[in-house]
Structures are given as C-alpha cells and as structure tokens.
C-alpha cells in the first residue's frame, strides 16, 4: 500500500491540474466518452486504432452513471488509480530496493511532454508494466493465483502491448531449444519453465485477439518498415526522450545499448531478471519501431510522441544500473549512486519538461450544464482545437 500511495503522489505531481481542474483530453472525449454516449452497455468490443481498449471502455461505462459534469474527473481519477497500481506492482515484483528506486526515478525524473500523465487514453502505457511483472516476474502461489490471470487478460485487451510481449515470449521459447552450453542463452530454459502457465495463457489469448483485430481492421494502410528509420529512432530519438538531448552519435549509442545487454547476459544475474530485461527491452524497441512509421506521432523533440519511449526510458536506466553493478570496483551501492546521480542531472537539465503544463480551462461543467435536446452540441476539448460533437441525449 505504501508503494501504491507513493506512486499515486508522484503521478499527481506530474500533472496536478488533471485532478485539480479535470478536463477531457483527446480520445477520452471523442472516442471513449462519445461512443459510450446513449449506450447502456460498455462498448468493449468496439476497437480503436486497430485494437481493443478494455479498461478505458469499462471506465467510460461506469462513469456514464454519474452526472456528465463529473466525467473528466472520473476518467482522470481512474487513470491515476490504474497507473499507480500498475507501477506499484511492477516495482514490488522487482524484489530489490535499488532496482525499484532506479525504475521509479527512470519513470518520474526523466524528461517528458506530459502526454501520458493524467489521461485515461494513455493509461495503457502504464498497464504494460503490470503485464510485464505479472507474466514474467510471477509471484509464488497465493490467494491471487486465480485472480491474476483474469487481471492479465484485462490488461492484455487494453492496448497492443500483449501482442508485442507474446512475440518476445515466442523468441525466448525458441531460444530455450538452443544448446545449454551457450552462455548467452543458458538461462533461458530455466526462465521459461518457471513462468506461470495460466498467466501466459491469458496473455496469449489477449495478444492473439489484439493481433486478429488489427489484421481485420478495415481501411488500414499496409505497414511499411524502413530499417534506417527504425535505427534512427532507436539511436537518435530515444536519446532525446531519455536525456533531453542527443548525447552521442547514433552509432555510439547503439553500441552502448548492445554493450549493456551483453554485460547483463554474461553476468551472474538471476534468470528471472535476465528474462524480464530481455522481454521488456524487446517490447520497448518494438514500440519505438512501430512509432517510427508514424512520423506525425513521433519526432526527435520532447513535445511529440513521448509515449513511445516510456518503457524504453525505464528499462535503459534499469539495465544501465545492472550492467554497472557487474564491475567489482563499483559494486552495487556505487553503481546505484552513479545512476541516481545521472538521472538527477538529466532531470536538472530538463526542469521545464518534468511536469505536464497546465491545460487552459475550457469550462467543461458550464458547457455541459444545459445541452440542447433537439440538436447536436459542439464542446471544446483538449488539445485545442479539438471539439466533441454530441447528439441529443436519448
């Protein structure tokens, strides 16, 4: 509970106006609120952007029982609880205070444009942390044994992340067939065999469902990947979103990432943590790769597309800490101090990009107090100049 409250406080500080002056943001209004309008049941089978959004759909349905003026507040509070619970669970499952501290700082003290904080739409980017911890850092049998697969399925049907995770899980399943004498993969078999089968079934069920929805989506343009574009995003844009600037040439940063991974795989780290690092880093890179094919949604500036780098930033600092700890002259405590100092320096250099800028008040409550009964209502929302068009209430 203490970790949950700490995360809740940190999320509040990242976007305080989302709770002190709650307002709708983008798809919260034009997708989840509008598509629930005039419907009695949750629209959980209505995909958006090529996949299902189970948690936002259920939240929108529950909020529909309350006065319309409270809708933004209910959406944002739901986002706060979901994000806080997801990150708190992830931190606790790391089973190490130093690892949890680095992950916490990597999330809350790295530069951001604030788009992922304080909105129900973007809470899915934090749900992925719950999925990673629940499926690939499973706890021993407990009273939650049969509840967790249900929660995993709910998370898997919220966002495209389960599809990426099952792809990485499939890679490790294949790697577990390699000769055990290979040091780089000798740990894979024990990692794969220790995972909870029921949680994996739930993950695969949700992931395959999301893939099916994406493949059946009508009007979707064929995805065109460019290796140059993907590598540029990983080696260049990821520096901007992690450090607030490009610290080194792209080729050197790629080399650094490879070196960090090799140090982790060759070290005496437990198979449990090696597996988490490999799968999480793979999912993070897949997110950047898919984001790179949408140049309007992701750019080499902090103001655009920061959501694609949320997982990367956390895993970069976490992996860097583990890699540094391998050097005997540094040791665990000195490595931790070095990483904490680096993150603090990055934060100090990006003070203007640590908190989401307050949104101008567009007076949602006043605008929705007396909606016309005979015609559509057009209401301003954020980001400007977005608007929400509502038909008469039936």
């Amino acid at each position: 509970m203490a970790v949950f409250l700490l995360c809740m406080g940190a999320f509040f500080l990242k976007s305080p106006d989302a709770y002190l002056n709650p307002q709708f943001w983008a798809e919260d209004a034009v997708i989840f609120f509008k598509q629930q309008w005039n419907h009695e049941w949750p629209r959980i089978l209505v995909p958006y952007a090529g996949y299902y959004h189970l948690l936002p759909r259920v939240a929108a349905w529950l909020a529909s029982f309350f006065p319309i003026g409270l809708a933004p507040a209910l959406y944002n509070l739901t986002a706060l609880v979901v994000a806080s619970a997801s990150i708190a669970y992830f931190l606790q499952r790391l089973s190490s205070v130093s690892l949890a501290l680095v992950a916490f700082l990597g999330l809350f003290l790295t530069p951001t444009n604030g788009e992922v904080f304080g909105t129900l739409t973007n809470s899915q980017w934090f749900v992925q942390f719950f999925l990673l911890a629940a499926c690939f850092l499973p706890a021993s049998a407990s009273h939650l044994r049969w509840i967790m697969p249900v929660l995993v399925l709910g998370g898997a049907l919220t966002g495209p992340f389960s599809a990426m995770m099952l792809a990485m899980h499939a890679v490790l399943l294949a790697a577990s067939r390699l000769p055990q004498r290979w040091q780089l993969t000798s740990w894979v078999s024990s990692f794969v065999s220790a995972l909870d089968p029921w949680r994996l079934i739930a993950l695969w069920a949700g992931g395959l469902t999301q893939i099916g929805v994406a493949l059946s989506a009508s009007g979707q343009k064929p995805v065109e990947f460019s290796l140059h574009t993907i590598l540029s995003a990983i080696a260049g844009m990821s520096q901007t979103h992690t450090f607030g600037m490009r610290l080194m040439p792209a080729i050197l940063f790629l080399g650094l990432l490879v070196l960090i991974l090799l140090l982790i795989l060759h070290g005496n780290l437990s198979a449990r943590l090696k597996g988490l690092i490999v799968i999480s880093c793979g999912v993070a890179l897949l997110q950047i790769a898919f984001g790179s094919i949408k140049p309007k949604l992701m750019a080499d500036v902090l103001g655009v597309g920061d959501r694609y780098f949320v997982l990367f930033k956390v895993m970069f600092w976490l992996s860097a800490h583990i890699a540094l700890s391998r050097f005997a002259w540094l040791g665990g405590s000195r490595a931790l101090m070095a990483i904490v100092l680096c993150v603090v320096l990055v934060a100090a250099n990006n003070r203007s990009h640590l908190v989401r800028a307050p949104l101008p008040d567009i007076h949602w409550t006043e605008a929705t107090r007396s909606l016309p009964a005979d015609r559509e209502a057009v209401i301003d929302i954020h980001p400007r100049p977005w608007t929400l068009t509502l038909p008469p209430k039936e």
Side-chain angles (χ1 to χ4, degrees):
M1 180 58 72
V3 178
F4 171 74
L5 294 177
L6 176 63
C7 291
M8 184 173 284
F11 274 112
F12 177 86
L13 293 176
K14 295 295 284 188
S15 56
D17 74 302
Y19 315 105
L20 300 178
N21 183 30
Q23 300 177 80
F24 266 143
W25 175 268
E27 288 88 349
D28 283 359
V30 298
I31 299 298
F32 302 126
F33 179 82
K34 183 176 181 178
Q35 292 183 353
Q36 186 60 54
W37 185 255
N38 284 332
H39 289 274
E40 294 183 359
W41 298 101
R43 311 298 305 283
I44 58 176
L45 297 180
V46 179
Y48 171 68
Y51 49 88
Y52 289 133
H53 299 74
L54 178 63
L55 293 181
R57 295 291 188 185
V58 172
W61 173 62
L62 294 174
S64 68
F65 293 98
F66 293 86
I68 185 174
L70 296 177
L74 294 173
Y75 279 43
N76 293 357
L77 287 174
T78 301
L80 176 65
V81 172
V82 169
S84 300
S86 297
I87 297 301
Y89 184 78
F90 178 80
L91 297 179
Q92 290 180 310
R93 294 303 310 133
L94 289 175
S95 300
S96 164
V97 174
S98 60
L99 293 179
L101 175 61
V102 172
F104 181 87
L105 297 179
L107 177 62
F108 293 110
L109 282 188
T110 47
T112 177
N113 67 350
E115 65 182 359
V116 296
F117 297 101
T119 67
L120 184 62
T121 293
N122 288 321
S123 61
Q124 60 178 329
W125 298 92
F126 302 111
V127 172
Q128 65 177 320
F129 287 90
F130 162 75
L131 285 176
L132 287 168
C135 295
F136 304 110
L137 285 176
S140 56
S142 68
H143 62 284
L144 295 177
R145 180 181 178 185
W146 300 112
I147 298 177
M148 287 304 296
V150 176
L151 297 178
V152 167
L153 181 60
L157 292 174
T158 302
F161 311 105
S162 56
M164 302 177 190
M165 290 177 197
L166 67 84
M168 290 305 303
H169 182 233
V171 169
L172 288 189
L173 285 175
S176 67
R177 303 294 182 180
L178 296 175
Q180 294 295 302
R181 64 179 180 274
W182 293 3
Q183 185 176 1
L184 281 177
T185 58
S186 59
W187 54 271
V188 177
S189 180
S190 60
F191 169 75
V192 169
S193 61
L195 300 179
D196 187 296
W198 291 107
R199 299 184 190 187
L200 291 177
I201 289 173
L203 179 72
W204 275 79
L208 291 174
T209 299
Q210 298 288 42
I211 292 174
V213 172
L215 294 176
S216 63
S218 59
Q220 294 285 335
K221 296 182 179 179
V223 176
E224 297 181 2
F225 288 97
S226 165
L227 182 59
H228 177 269
T229 301
I230 294 174
L231 290 178
S232 176
I234 294 173
M237 294 183 192
S238 58
Q239 291 191 63
T240 301
H241 288 266
T242 302
F243 312 121
M245 65 177 74
R246 292 202 181 199
L247 289 181
M248 62 190 77
I251 189 66
L252 287 182
F253 189 65
L254 281 177
L256 176 63
L257 296 179
V258 172
L259 176 61
I260 289 174
L261 186 59
L262 289 177
L263 285 171
I264 291 174
L265 295 182
H266 274 288
N268 57 0
L269 192 68
S270 67
R272 174 178 177 271
L273 284 178
K274 283 184 179 180
L276 174 74
I277 295 295
V278 169
I279 288 181
S280 299
C281 289
V283 171
L285 295 180
L286 284 173
Q287 291 174 22
I288 297 175
F290 278 99
S292 68
I293 66 177
K294 305 174 182 179
K296 292 183 178 180
L297 300 181
M298 191 173 80
D300 197 14
V301 293
L302 282 175
V304 181
D306 185 62
R307 58 191 180 275
Y308 293 101
F309 299 92
V310 170
L311 180 60
F312 178 88
K313 290 187 283 189
V314 173
M315 297 315 302
F316 172 81
W317 291 114
L318 201 57
S319 300
H321 167 59
I322 295 172
L324 278 181
S325 299
R326 280 210 60 202
F327 296 100
W329 59 274
L330 270 174
S333 60
R334 291 181 180 178
L336 175 62
M337 291 175 61
I339 292 298
V340 170
L341 178 60
C342 288
V343 177
V344 171
L345 288 175
V346 168
N349 195 50
N350 294 275
R351 292 186 298 273
S352 61
H353 288 94
L354 293 180
V355 178
R356 191 185 83 174
L359 301 177
D361 193 347
I362 53 177
H363 306 288
W364 166 266
T365 303
E366 291 80 354
T368 58
R369 185 165 293 152
S370 56
L371 296 175
D374 57 347
R375 67 182 188 278
E376 292 182 336
V378 180
I379 307 169
D380 292 333
I381 62 170
H382 290 290
R384 303 294 299 130
W386 284 41
T387 59
L388 169 65
T389 301
L390 286 179
K393 187 67 174 177
E394 296 177 1

